[in-house]
Amino acid sequence: SVLPPVELQGVLTTALIVLPPLLSCVAWAFCLSLGAMVAELFALPALGGLLRAAQNVVKTLIGVLAACALFMIVATTIVTVAGLHA
């Protein structure tokens, strides 16, 4: 069979759902960090502070996405294993 085991299908599905927004948030965090460094280079502390605050929000979003992905993986695995033994 070409498909992975049933237990891994939930993990792979969750990864395919969560990975694009997670990578997008990582790219945003990197760009905001880069912008804050450039703002500090040009002695613009207000702009640098704003960009660092936005970066902290994006980092929090990354944490929330990762936690939701973990819960989805655990829930999918529990349901799959319970279905196999039913």
Side-chain angles (χ1 to χ4, degrees), residues 4 10 12 19 29 31 42 75 84:
L12 292 175
L19 206 56
C31 290
F42 289 116
L84 289 176

Short mmCIF file of all heavy atoms in Angstrom, two decimals, residues 4 10 12 19 29 31 42 75 84:
data_model
loop_
_atom_site.label_atom_id
_atom_site.label_comp_id
_atom_site.label_asym_id
_atom_site.label_seq_id
_atom_site.Cartn_x
_atom_site.Cartn_y
_atom_site.Cartn_z
N PRO A 4 0.52 5.80 4.20
CA PRO A 4 1.19 5.50 5.47
C PRO A 4 0.22 4.80 6.42
O PRO A 4 -0.99 4.76 6.17
CB PRO A 4 1.60 6.87 5.99
CG PRO A 4 0.70 7.82 5.32
CD PRO A 4 0.34 7.22 3.99
N GLY A 10 -3.27 10.92 10.56
CA GLY A 10 -3.75 12.09 11.31
C GLY A 10 -2.64 13.10 11.53
O GLY A 10 -2.85 14.31 11.43
N LEU A 12 0.07 13.46 9.64
CA LEU A 12 0.40 14.07 8.35
C LEU A 12 -0.67 15.08 7.92
O LEU A 12 -0.34 16.14 7.40
CB LEU A 12 0.56 12.99 7.29
CG LEU A 12 1.78 12.07 7.46
CD1 LEU A 12 1.77 10.97 6.41
CD2 LEU A 12 3.05 12.87 7.37
N LEU A 19 1.08 23.57 8.76
CA LEU A 19 2.41 24.00 8.33
C LEU A 19 2.41 25.28 7.48
O LEU A 19 3.24 26.15 7.75
CB LEU A 19 3.10 22.85 7.58
CG LEU A 19 4.61 22.88 7.59
CD1 LEU A 19 5.14 22.92 9.01
CD2 LEU A 19 5.15 21.65 6.87
N ALA A 29 7.70 36.86 11.35
CA ALA A 29 8.53 37.16 12.52
C ALA A 29 9.94 37.55 12.09
O ALA A 29 10.53 38.48 12.63
CB ALA A 29 8.56 35.97 13.48
N CYS A 31 10.86 38.85 9.15
CA CYS A 31 10.82 40.16 8.49
C CYS A 31 10.63 41.29 9.50
O CYS A 31 11.24 42.36 9.36
CB CYS A 31 9.71 40.18 7.44
SG CYS A 31 10.07 39.16 6.01
N PHE A 42 18.90 53.03 11.94
CA PHE A 42 18.66 54.41 11.53
C PHE A 42 18.16 55.29 12.68
O PHE A 42 17.61 56.37 12.44
CB PHE A 42 17.67 54.45 10.37
CG PHE A 42 18.24 53.95 9.08
CD1 PHE A 42 17.73 52.81 8.48
CD2 PHE A 42 19.31 54.60 8.48
CE1 PHE A 42 18.26 52.34 7.29
CE2 PHE A 42 19.83 54.13 7.29
CZ PHE A 42 19.32 53.00 6.70
N ALA A 75 -5.77 14.36 19.59
CA ALA A 75 -7.18 13.99 19.44
C ALA A 75 -7.39 13.04 18.27
O ALA A 75 -8.13 12.05 18.38
CB ALA A 75 -8.03 15.24 19.26
N LEU A 84 -9.93 1.77 15.74
CA LEU A 84 -9.32 0.51 15.33
C LEU A 84 -9.68 -0.63 16.29
O LEU A 84 -9.76 -1.78 15.89
CB LEU A 84 -7.80 0.65 15.27
CG LEU A 84 -7.24 1.50 14.12
CD1 LEU A 84 -5.73 1.63 14.24
CD2 LEU A 84 -7.60 0.89 12.77
#
